[in-house]
Amino acid sequence: MTKFLLVVDYNGGVIDTPMTEWTPEEIKAHMDYYNALNEELKANGELVETRALTGPELAKMVTSNGVNAPVVTDGPFLESKELLAGYQLVDVESEARAIEIAAKVSQVPGPGGVPLEQPIAVRRVMEDADFEELNPLG
């Protein structure tokens, strides 16, 4: 089995309306879809963890040179579409299965039940052996 991180950002896909403007019923349908998918993945033994994160307006960006005090910048950020909204960590037989799950995540309904077609990044979690290959001298 191989672990993959399915990354959801604030890119709304084909829907421009932010969730803050959706009806309560639309938000419920959206979350019910995620909950049902996550329950299916748990039942299959494929879901390791899933989390939603607070919005970009609550994010902090931290930079440090290791000498001076860290610089902390508050949101909101213009590039918020690229900020992480949430993720699912899955442990699956193949990259093809991870992509299949990501496609289901991308179909999550938005306003009017329209699938968001949200882009979902699929990233394989590296193992110790991957780093050994990068640095053969150890």
Side-chain angles (χ1 to χ4, degrees):
M1 301 280 279
T2 306
K3 289 184 177 83
F4 288 87
L5 187 67
L6 310 181
V7 180
V8 179
D9 62 22
Y10 282 93
N11 182 334
V14 298
I15 304 295
D16 291 329
T17 308
M19 189 181 274
T20 54
E21 296 177 20
W22 296 7
T23 68
E25 296 78 19
E26 291 168 336
I27 293 171
K28 182 176 181 340
H30 181 86
M31 297 312 297
D32 286 349
Y33 180 93
Y34 268 121
N35 290 335
L37 177 57
N38 290 333
E39 286 303 317
E40 174 189 327
L41 297 174
K42 277 186 208 173
N44 293 344
E46 295 174 312
L47 185 64
V48 175
E49 181 177 51
T50 184
R51 296 283 182 216
L53 304 174
T54 58
E57 69 279 2
L58 299 174
K60 306 275 191 251
M61 297 301 270
V62 179
T63 57
S64 175
N65 63 8
V67 176
N68 300 316
V71 176
V72 180
T73 307
D74 293 333
F77 303 102
L78 295 177
E79 65 278 1
S80 65
K81 284 187 172 191
E82 296 175 8
L83 286 177
L84 185 65
Y87 65 90
Q88 289 163 301
L89 181 62
V90 296
D91 195 1
V92 294
E93 290 291 334
S94 66
E95 180 181 60
R97 176 62 180 145
I99 290 170
E100 181 181 325
I101 296 168
K104 289 182 179 186
V105 174
S106 179
Q107 299 169 39
V108 65
V114 174
L116 290 183
E117 297 181 47
Q118 188 174 24
I120 306 300
V122 177
R123 309 270 308 269
R124 185 175 62 82
V125 176
M126 293 178 72
E127 302 289 337
D128 289 342
D130 294 310
F131 293 102
E132 291 168 10
E133 288 177 21
L134 291 173
N135 184 10
L137 300 177

